Amino acid sequence: LLEPQQGISVAYSKNVLIDGITVVNSRHYTVSGGQSQGITIKNLKSFSYQGWSDGLDFMSCSDIVIDDVFLRNPMIVLLSILTVGIIMPESSVQNSTLWADIAHPINIGTHGNTKTEDEVLEDMLFKNIDILEHDEDDRNYQGCMTINVGDHNLARNIT
């Protein structure tokens, strides 16, 4: 059996609804988004044993709503959520269960456009999230959530 590189890819799109999908053993991302706006993910389940299998990764996306997801991924579960680019208001993650072996289950920021200044990651809401296990030995990757403002990123109004 061939295992998919990624479960779902959303690129250069608007107003996308992903609802009721189960993704098994994607090698990299359960859902990746790039240059997209208005992505809603509901009732999604993901299970992977792959070493570099992230959960939900969004680059240069805005207006993302994640509700009622269960993610079991060895690496970052909920992306490097919202990396690279300007993330606009109305992005939220709620009512979800995250299970990562290593790295941060929730990771905001990390990469940006080094040729510009102050890419803004703002007005994000995280609520009612259960994290089932986080066993990371590397001190730089411990913790359930990280906000990493590298590469000229600016993070504000994150609840």
Side-chain angles (χ1 to χ4, degrees):
L1 286 175
L2 293 175
E3 294 168 342
Q5 290 296 311
Q6 50 187 310
I8 300 166
S9 178
V10 178
Y12 303 101
S13 301
K14 287 186 179 181
N15 304 322
V16 175
L17 172 63
I18 299 168
D19 189 0
I21 302 291
T22 299
V23 177
V24 178
N25 286 335
S26 60
R27 292 177 85 53
H28 295 290
Y29 310 118
T30 297
V31 177
S32 68
Q35 298 280 331
S36 297
Q37 178 180 2
I39 300 171
T40 300
I41 299 173
K42 296 170 35 177
N43 190 28
L44 173 91
K45 292 163 185 58
S46 173
F47 305 89
S48 182
Y49 68 87
Q50 299 292 338
W52 289 98
S53 177
D54 288 359
L56 310 176
D57 285 65
F58 302 99
M59 283 71 63
S60 298
C61 292
S62 65
D63 303 317
I64 300 165
V65 175
I66 299 167
D67 188 16
D68 189 28
V69 300
F70 178 91
L71 300 174
R72 173 37 175 134
N73 298 79
M75 288 299 286
I76 298 164
V77 172
L78 193 53
L79 152 186
S80 284
I81 183 172
L82 317 177
T83 62
V84 188
I86 300 171
I87 305 304
M88 303 299 276
E90 304 303 321
S91 292
S92 65
V93 180
Q94 61 190 8
N95 308 319
S96 296
T97 302
L98 310 177
W99 181 357
D101 292 330
I102 58 175
H104 304 288
I106 300 170
N107 183 9
I108 299 167
T110 305
H111 301 292
N113 184 347
T114 59
K115 293 181 171 101
T116 65
E117 292 186 26
D118 296 338
E119 289 192 320
V120 180
L121 303 144
E122 67 179 351
D123 299 329
M124 291 182 265
L125 172 66
F126 295 84
K127 71 178 188 178
N128 193 28
I129 298 172
D130 293 323
I131 296 177
L132 296 183
E133 183 167 333
H134 179 57
D135 184 17
E136 173 59 65
D137 295 330
D138 186 335
R139 293 189 63 144
N140 291 330
Y141 295 96
Q142 292 177 345
C144 293
M145 178 178 188
T146 185
I147 300 170
N148 182 349
V149 289
D151 294 341
H152 299 287
N153 288 329
L154 170 65
R156 62 181 174 208
N157 300 326
I158 299 172
T159 304

